[in-house]
Structure formats: structure tokens, C-alpha cells
Amino acid sequence: MRSLFKSVRLSALPLALLAGLLLPIHADALTPFLQIQAKQWGNIYAGPNTNVQQVPREKSASIDAKSKFIVNYKNFPDWAKKDFQAAVDVWSANFASTVPITIDATWNRISSYGVLGSARPGSYFAGFDGAPDSSLWYPSALANAIAGKDLDPKQSEIIIQVNSLAEWNTTNDGLSHANQYDLESVFIHEMGHGLGFLSTDSYDSFFGYGNIEQPTPFDAYVQVEDGRRLSDLPSPSIELGKALTSPLVWSGTLGIAANGGVKPLLYSPPKYEEGSSVSHLDETTFSKSQVDNVMTPNLDAGEIFHAPGPLLLAMMEDMRRKPPVGIAVGTPQVVRNVSALVSDGAAIITFDPPANARTAQITSYSVRNLKTNQVKSTTTSPVTFTGLKNGTSYTFAVTASNSNGSSDAVNTSPVTPQASWTRFVIDAKSDATQLASTTFNGQPAIAYIDSQSGDLKLATWDGKVWVKVTVDGAGGSAGRTNANIKGALSLCVNGSGKNQLLHIFYSDAQDMDLRYAKYDGKKFTFEVVDGNGPALNNYEDPIRVRTNADVSVSSACVASAAGVQVLYRDESQGILLGAVKQATAKSWSYELVDGDRKTDNRTTGDVAFHLKAAFDGKLSYFIYDSILTINQKKEATTGEVRIASRSNLSSSGWNYQTLEATSPANPMAGFDVALAKTQSGIFATWLDAAPNTLPNASQIRWSNVQPNPTLTNAVTDGFGKPSKYLSTDGSLVAFNCEKRLCAIDTSKATPKISFVSASENPDGINSTWVTVNHLKYLVAGINGQLSMLRP
């Protein structure tokens, strides 16, 4: 399978340490809206040769643009970029937004049969300023256009994948060619999906259940035969499943007017088609139209789209308006999955809507503190209660209400707030989205990336204060770059005493190359290790050389007296690559480590989305995940955690071990990984998921790396779902708990979880461990500042 889409006690701090660390700490920023990552994709499938005469496409005239699109190309040939730009010009003249729209476009093999292209928004947003309906989730580009600002500057608004294996017309001539597919037409179609012409429904073909977790304005305008909104049907339910495979129409007034006063018929065949059903106009009704056929599910060979067409544009305009409300049916059932989570002097109450939330048209939820009788009203989960006493137990009750009445109350389990760890700021001007640490010349060193400036920085402890320097990203000579630094970051050290060399591996956002900085304590030297080769080094090629693939996703390094080795993911092919520079060599040697075959204990899984390394003085260890299968939403459904180790730098010296294989009870292991060297060996930790929690992790796993590993696990009830990022010092494991930071002490007979920080980050909080003046600290980006934390 190639790439699938493409115990310590708080003591007094030394005065010198206080002088070097204590800086102003800002209050947590409030998030004024909700955000979730988009998962569903809209596809366009390859049809047969068209039997309708096609009008040649003329070059677009110079028209005042209503919006600006920025495209990040991955592996695109030049001719395909021209077709993409032509489609961008078409949509720029038709979609109005004052906020630039960024598209991540990938040219790669799509495993689904017959798919020419796929697209989805970057995220969905609800409750933002100006949202026409606060109960609906708006796709990134549409939400930004309505809000008049970029709600998430760190994320692209549209994600598009194009099948590199299709029979494309590569001439850019705008003509119809038999047996060839028009790429500009695919882009016009897929950009429509990315801009919001997309349902978030899913369908269980075995049980017949339909599901819409977060309804969008698209879903709110789709009606079933009796006039009810698709977004209001029970979810999950067989009723919704039947609706997804029955006739559906669009109810927006502008769309109806553009269709001659008739509600446009959507594509909802009796047999549900992933990526096609609901999210397209009906193929039979609209495929022969020369102006309104863009959003039909298939593109015939030789077929050409010229522009979005009046119907599509009218439906897009409908979605900028508030849909008519549905009709409340009955009273709400009880809320589901009610939970109270630990916070500092606070508790976070989370819950899922009642099973009949859509038909009941829930107007509000009431959450009551049963100890203080304080009540909060809300329309969404979660709800935070502040002003609570740490160490005191609290229980909460949640009810749902509509115009017809209220549900019975559901009580949470008791929750006891905890004090968060004490925080000391290292760098108040850097959010440290990525970071790594090591010991260099006897003192801790932290490399970190500031997402605002795009700079790579290094902080070293001189015994009294942290000394901070900018390593790369701000331009300069001798191999430095002025491109933003982004992506994988790893550190390793070799040498002895205070004559050590520090090796930093990192990536840039522009070329997606693996870059390398070497530091001797006085000066840096720079070079590009890989990613800047002349062509793609195919995984089947036994001769390994530099590649031009995207190698920015993950990296991990080990340095010893023999030399330096770094492993990294080839995003284009889903394989694990390596580069070695022996102590006596002047250049790098390249190797393919895993992901290419099933012999020699290797795997053909999609490997190394997450990757860490450790060295015990004899063996180099690399831990990584391997995804084996994905679902229609491109979410991992089975996977395992693997170790590659060797005692030398030979490409034939690798030994492989699966720490946790996929199983019916725990089908998916991975999500993130971490390693640490301890007195008892190499300690490994990772996350895994039970079948009923996919695609989310449900517990933390750990074991020493040994021939027959003994796996230990802990669930994180009361703290929130565990998620990346993981880091460990060999006994304490830091992890993300409901977008916050927690830690678990695995050395205890009964592992104990501590609440570290209430600061939230929807993208996850990276962390690492350092020892300063014999005291252990967790280092993380908290409230936009590089910080140390300690109980």
C-alpha cells in the first residue's frame, strides 16, 4: 500500500533560575467560535466518452476578481498547474470574499477506483461573528467570507487531491478530446466542494444507518420528500439512512429561482455512493445541461465545464443566508455521553445532543452545579464552570429543552478540580508549535519553531538564564533560508564533555525539504539533506539517491561517534527514508528503511506519520506508526506501532519489531509515539483506539522495548480524550487531554494523571522534557509563549 492520501516534589527555585525564567504570563485567550476539522470528501468520477457536442473553452477574459486564491502545489506537473490556475481564475470572478483563500493541492495516486479528484474544506466553523445560523457549521472559505476575517490563519481553506494516473488532456487547449479528461473541469468542480457544496453525511451500508454529526448550511437546505430538512432528521438513525438513499431536493429560494421555480433535484441513488451521494446535483437531470452540469457526480471523457453556472452560484448564495427553521417534533430525549473534566479551579462539562436533537429542534441546554445550584444555559457543548475549589468534588446535571418542554436530567460522574502546574516563561515572543530538547555540553537545549515569524530558534541554559538565538528562517547566507520553518523537528548530539556537536533537523514550508543545522557552540553550518533532488526516487528503485518528494512531515535523528543518521517520512509515497553521514564522510548516503515490502519483517503500511528516536550507547532505536487501512473520510481505521533498530550505520543492519499490532479489541495503534532512554532500557509510549472510539484514541499505552514487550495502558476518564502530542522522560508521559495538557506517571503501580495546563490549542500542544539545575520540567508552548512547567 502506498501513501493513502498522500515522581518529583516541588522545591524552592534557585534565585538565579527565577531571575532567568520569570516573565509576565498572559491570561488564556478566549475562543469566540467553535471549530472542527473537515473529514468528508466530495469526489468526481470518470465517466465514459461524452456523446454531447462540446463547445471549446475560450481563455478567460480579464475580469475584476471578487476574491484571491493562493495555491500550494504538491508534486504538480507544470501543465496541470496551468489548468488549476485557469479554474482559480474562474472562481475568483464568481466567489466573493475579502479574505484570501488558500488551497492545498496534491497530485498523487488516488486508490479509490474511478476517482478523478477529491476535495474538502480545511475546517468547519460555528458560532462566529456574522454566522447566519449559529447551529450550523460553515466551511472555512465560506465562514471567512461571511466573517470578513481569517478564522484560522494557520490552516488552508480547501484541500484538493487529483489522481495522477487518470488519462488527462495535457495540452491546455480547452478542446474536447475523446478518451481524455479535462483537468480544468475537475478543478472547477472540486473547488465547488471545497467552497461548501458538500454534505457532512455518512452512511453505514451494513446496518443502513445515516449520520450527520455537524450539519452544514448545505445540509439545512436539503429536504426530504415531506419537506423536512435533512439536517433535522435523527442522527444516527435508519430514518436518516433511508433519506440519504431517497429523492432529495434543494429548498433555497435563490436555487429554486435559478432552476425555473423548481426545487433542484440532488443525486441520491438507491445505493449510497461515498463521496457522491447528496453532495451533487442529479446526474440524469443535469448532465446534459451546458451551464448547470458542473456539480453532477461524473465527468465524461471529453466533457468540458466552462464556469460554475447560474444554478450552482445561486445555491452558493443561498448558503450565505439563514435557512428557514425546522419544526419541533416532540420533547427532547436525554442528552448523551455526559462527562465532567478536571480543570484548575474549574470543571468542563461536555455532552452530546439527544438522539432526537434534530427532530426536536433543541433550543437550549441547562447545566446545573448540584453542589452550588449554579445554572448555566447554552446551545452547545462544552460548558465551563469556574470559581470552584481545587480538591473539592462536584457533580453536574444536564437537561435539553425545546418549545415543547425539557428532557430528564443526566448527572455527570463526580469531578475534583486540580491545580495546574506552575509555569515559567522562557520565550514570551514565540508560541513554540514544534519543539525538541536534548543535553548539549552538559546543559539543556531546546530547539523550537515560532509559527508567527516562521523562525527556528534555539534556547540553551548557561547555568543562570536561557540564551536564545534565531537559527534559521530569517534569511541570510551560507545555506540559511528566508522561507518559513514548518513541520518536523528533531535534535541529537555527539561528542564528549563540552566539545559536543548539536545536530538540528527541520523543514521549510516552501520546498518541504529536510534541512540540517550543525552547531559547535559557537557557529552554525547549514545544508539541505533531502527533498531537493532532481526527481522522485521511487520506492521500487534499489539505488537510493536524493529525492524531490515532500519530506517535511516527520524526522528523528541519532548521533554517535560513528556519525549522524536521520530518518524521515516520504509523504509522496508513504515510506520511511534515511540519510547517513559517517564521521569520515563528506556527503550523505541514502536508504529506504520501511514501508516498501513485507519481507525481512518490513511492512507495506503507510508509515512514519509520527517518528521518534533514542540511543542507548549501542543501538539506535526509531519508533513510528504504520497505518494499514483508512475509511472514506480518510481516517485511519487499523494501524500498528513499530520499532526499527540497528547497531551500526549499514542499511542492511536493520531489525524490525511490532510493539503493538492491530487487533479486534484495539484496531488502531499510533496517533503519536515517543521514546526515552532509561536505566532499565528504552521506554516507548503511544496511543491506541477501541473500535467504538475510532477515529479518536481512547487510551495511552507503554512498554519497554524488549523481545516480548509487556504492554501497559491507562484510560484518561475525567481528563478528556487523549491525543497527540506525546513526550516522555521515561516515566512521566505528557499528552493532550481535550486540547489541553496533562501528564501521567507510569512508574506508579496505579498510574496517576496530573492536570498540567488549562491552555487550549485545537491543533495540539507539543511538549518535551528538560532538566534544569537538577530539576525536571515539562516544556511546551502555553498561551503563545515557550514555557517550562513543574508541579
Side-chain angles (χ1 to χ4, degrees):
M1 183 187 305
R2 297 283 42 84
S3 179
L4 299 171
F5 48 98
K6 290 290 118 175
S7 127
V8 290
R9 182 170 58 91
L10 184 62
S11 58
L13 288 169
L15 291 178
L17 179 60
L18 284 170
L21 298 181
L22 291 181
L23 292 173
I25 297 177
H26 303 310
D28 289 357
L30 297 177
T31 302
F33 53 80
L34 300 175
Q35 178 180 6
I36 56 171
Q37 184 175 359
K39 297 176 181 179
Q40 281 85 349
W41 296 73
N43 300 332
I44 186 168
Y45 282 86
N49 282 320
T50 181
N51 55 11
V52 177
Q53 185 175 358
Q54 300 292 300
V55 177
R57 182 192 295 118
E58 297 180 358
K59 291 186 177 180
S60 299
S62 179
I63 304 175
D64 290 338
K66 296 180 179 179
S67 56
K68 178 182 179 181
F69 288 83
I70 302 168
V71 184
N72 298 323
Y73 292 105
K74 293 183 180 180
N75 306 325
F76 261 71
D78 288 340
W79 71 265
K81 291 180 181 179
K82 294 178 181 178
D83 273 2
F84 204 147
Q85 186 58 51
V88 164
D89 292 341
V90 168
W91 272 109
S92 295
N94 287 282
F95 185 84
S97 178
T98 59
V99 183
I101 302 164
T102 301
I103 302 175
D104 287 346
T106 302
W107 179 269
N108 62 4
R109 175 180 177 179
I110 295 179
S111 57
S112 299
Y113 178 78
V115 174
L116 295 174
S118 301
R120 64 168 173 84
S123 289
Y124 287 97
F125 297 89
F128 55 89
D129 289 343
D133 189 326
S134 62
S135 69
L136 300 176
W137 295 82
Y138 290 78
S140 296
L142 183 58
N144 289 348
I146 295 171
K149 61 182 178 181
D150 195 336
L151 298 175
D152 185 359
K154 298 179 182 178
Q155 187 180 59
S156 297
E157 283 69 45
I158 299 175
I159 313 297
I160 293 180
Q161 298 185 24
V162 180
N163 194 345
S164 60
L165 300 182
E167 293 293 335
W168 299 113
N169 169 21
T170 64
T171 62
N172 306 120
D173 59 4
L175 300 177
S176 176
H177 292 260
N179 302 314
Q180 291 184 339
Y181 295 94
D182 183 67
L183 189 57
E184 183 180 337
S185 296
V186 170
F187 290 138
I188 292 175
H189 177 103
E190 293 304 329
M191 288 176 69
H193 285 313
L195 291 170
F197 198 98
L198 185 68
S199 173
T200 57
D201 69 83
S202 61
Y203 182 79
D204 187 319
S205 58
F206 185 81
F207 293 103
Y209 276 81
N211 186 36
I212 298 179
E213 295 176 0
Q214 287 88 19
T216 68
F218 184 94
D219 298 313
Y221 276 113
V222 178
Q223 286 185 346
V224 296
E225 289 181 295
D226 63 7
R228 287 179 298 163
R229 306 190 313 177
L230 189 67
S231 60
D232 293 342
L233 299 182
S235 177
S237 69
I238 291 179
E239 182 180 358
L240 178 55
K242 290 180 178 178
L244 297 178
T245 53
S246 301
L248 297 170
V249 294
W250 185 263
S251 64
T253 55
L254 298 179
I256 295 172
N259 196 45
V262 177
K263 292 181 179 179
L265 183 65
L266 299 177
Y267 183 68
S268 52
K271 183 178 180 181
Y272 184 88
E273 298 177 7
E274 292 183 348
S276 285
S277 287
V278 186
S279 297
H280 293 87
L281 292 171
D282 183 61
E283 177 75 22
T284 302
T285 305
F286 294 100
S287 62
K288 300 301 186 292
S289 170
Q290 288 292 297
V291 293
D292 288 326
N293 57 348
V294 170
M295 295 312 296
T296 55
N298 301 326
L299 177 72
D300 292 342
E303 185 177 10
I304 298 171
F305 299 155
H306 295 256
L311 176 56
L312 172 55
L313 294 178
M315 296 171 75
M316 295 294 296
E317 191 62 29
D318 274 330
M319 288 189 279
R320 293 178 184 249
R321 304 182 178 190
K322 181 179 176 64
V325 297
I327 300 173
V329 177
T331 57
Q333 297 175 7
V334 296
V335 294
R336 300 168 297 171
N337 302 321
V338 178
S339 180
L341 307 180
V342 171
S343 194
D344 187 350
I348 300 173
I349 317 306
T350 67
F351 54 88
D352 290 333
N356 70 335
R358 306 285 170 73
T359 55
Q361 291 288 289
I362 304 297
T363 55
S364 67
Y365 298 93
S366 177
V367 185
R368 181 183 299 273
N369 183 333
L370 297 183
K371 183 178 289 292
T372 67
N373 215 32
Q374 180 187 9
V375 178
K376 289 192 173 186
S377 181
T378 182
T379 57
T380 58
S381 170
V383 176
T384 300
F385 282 77
T386 59
L388 308 183
K389 293 182 179 180
N390 290 330
T392 298
S393 177
Y394 297 87
T395 303
F396 301 84
V398 186
T399 60
S401 299
N402 71 354
S403 58
N404 297 325
S406 298
S407 69
D408 292 335
V410 179
N411 291 355
T412 69
S413 297
V415 62
T416 303
Q418 289 184 16
S420 57
W421 291 11
T422 304
R423 182 163 73 98
F424 312 96
V425 175
I426 300 174
D427 189 340
K429 298 180 179 180
S430 176
D431 56 9
T433 53
Q434 297 288 329
L435 71 168
S437 66
T438 190
T439 300
F440 175 55
N441 289 336
Q443 296 287 3
I446 307 166
Y448 54 103
I449 298 172
D450 177 50
S451 68
Q452 303 303 314
S453 66
D455 292 341
L456 170 64
K457 296 184 177 182
L458 179 68
T460 54
W461 180 252
D462 70 358
K464 295 182 179 180
V465 297
W466 287 100
V467 179
K468 301 176 285 291
V469 297
T470 297
V471 179
D472 205 352
S477 57
R480 286 184 173 90
T481 179
N482 58 7
N484 286 349
I485 306 303
K486 183 179 180 181
L489 177 62
S490 55
L491 287 180
C492 50
V493 171
N494 60 358
S496 59
K498 293 191 175 182
N499 294 310
Q500 292 186 315
L501 293 175
L502 175 65
H503 309 275
I504 310 174
F505 294 91
Y506 54 100
S507 299
D508 66 279
Q510 179 174 294
D511 297 323
M512 314 296 185
D513 291 340
L514 180 65
R515 308 183 73 91
Y516 169 50
K518 182 170 67 175
Y519 182 51
D520 63 5
K522 296 180 181 179
K523 65 178 181 178
F524 292 93
T525 57
F526 300 88
E527 63 176 304
V528 175
V529 176
D530 206 352
N532 62 340
L536 182 70
N537 192 185
N538 190 282
Y539 78 95
E540 295 176 327
D541 194 337
I543 301 175
R544 307 311 303 174
V545 295
R546 286 180 186 254
T547 182
N548 67 359
D550 174 0
V551 290
S552 67
V553 172
S554 63
S555 75
C557 67
V558 169
S560 64
V564 181
Q565 55 182 317
V566 58
L567 269 57
Y568 46 97
R569 172 178 166 82
D570 177 336
E571 176 71 358
S572 302
Q573 302 178 84
I575 53 179
L576 180 58
L577 302 179
V580 172
K581 180 179 281 189
Q582 301 199 37
T584 57
K586 294 184 179 180
S587 61
W588 295 91
S589 298
Y590 298 92
E591 57 186 322
L592 200 168
V593 180
D594 204 359
D596 60 325
R597 63 179 187 265
K598 287 191 174 182
T599 59
D600 309 318
N601 289 323
R602 297 198 186 202
T603 181
T604 54
D606 198 353
V607 298
F609 289 96
H610 308 95
L611 174 65
K612 298 288 175 59
F615 182 57
D616 66 1
K618 295 181 180 180
L619 295 178
S620 301
Y621 296 86
F622 294 86
I623 185 172
Y624 53 97
D625 48 2
S626 175
I627 294 176
L628 303 179
T629 62
I630 62 171
N631 61 16
Q632 185 266 341
K633 299 179 184 178
K634 295 183 171 59
E635 298 164 336
T637 52
T638 62
E640 56 192 19
V641 173
R642 296 173 54 80
I643 288 280
S645 62
R646 64 180 173 187
S647 59
N648 52 43
L649 299 182
S650 170
S651 60
S652 62
W654 289 106
N655 292 300
Y656 300 92
Q657 178 183 1
T658 299
L659 282 179
E660 183 176 14
T662 183
S663 68
N666 296 290
M668 179 63 206
F671 300 97
D672 200 9
V673 295
L675 278 184
K677 177 182 176 295
T678 70
Q679 291 183 347
S680 60
I682 299 296
F683 176 88
T685 183
W686 61 94
L687 302 173
D688 72 4
N692 63 336
T693 66
L694 285 171
N696 298 312
S698 58
Q699 60 185 357
I700 302 172
R701 294 275 240 186
W702 62 88
S703 172
N704 279 341
V705 177
Q706 51 197 18
N708 295 301
T710 301
L711 304 185
T712 308
N713 64 271
V715 295
T716 58
D717 294 347
F719 291 85
K721 296 186 294 289
S723 59
K724 68 170 189 179
Y725 295 87
L726 294 180
S727 67
T728 184
D729 67 349
S731 60
L732 293 169
V733 177
F735 64 96
N736 280 238
C737 49
E738 212 74 27
K739 301 180 289 187
R740 306 167 301 161
L741 199 58
C742 293
I744 184 170
D745 189 345
T746 65
S747 67
K748 304 292 185 181
T750 301
K752 180 181 178 181
I753 299 178
S754 298
F755 180 67
V756 176
S757 174
S759 175
E760 293 188 7
N761 188 329
D763 297 325
I765 302 172
N766 211 332
S767 66
T768 188
W769 297 87
V770 297
T771 300
V772 179
N773 293 354
H774 307 291
L775 297 176
K776 181 76 69 173
Y777 293 89
L778 181 65
V779 179
I782 302 295
N783 297 337
Q785 300 171 323
L786 178 66
S787 307
M788 298 197 313
L789 304 110
R790 181 173 167 80

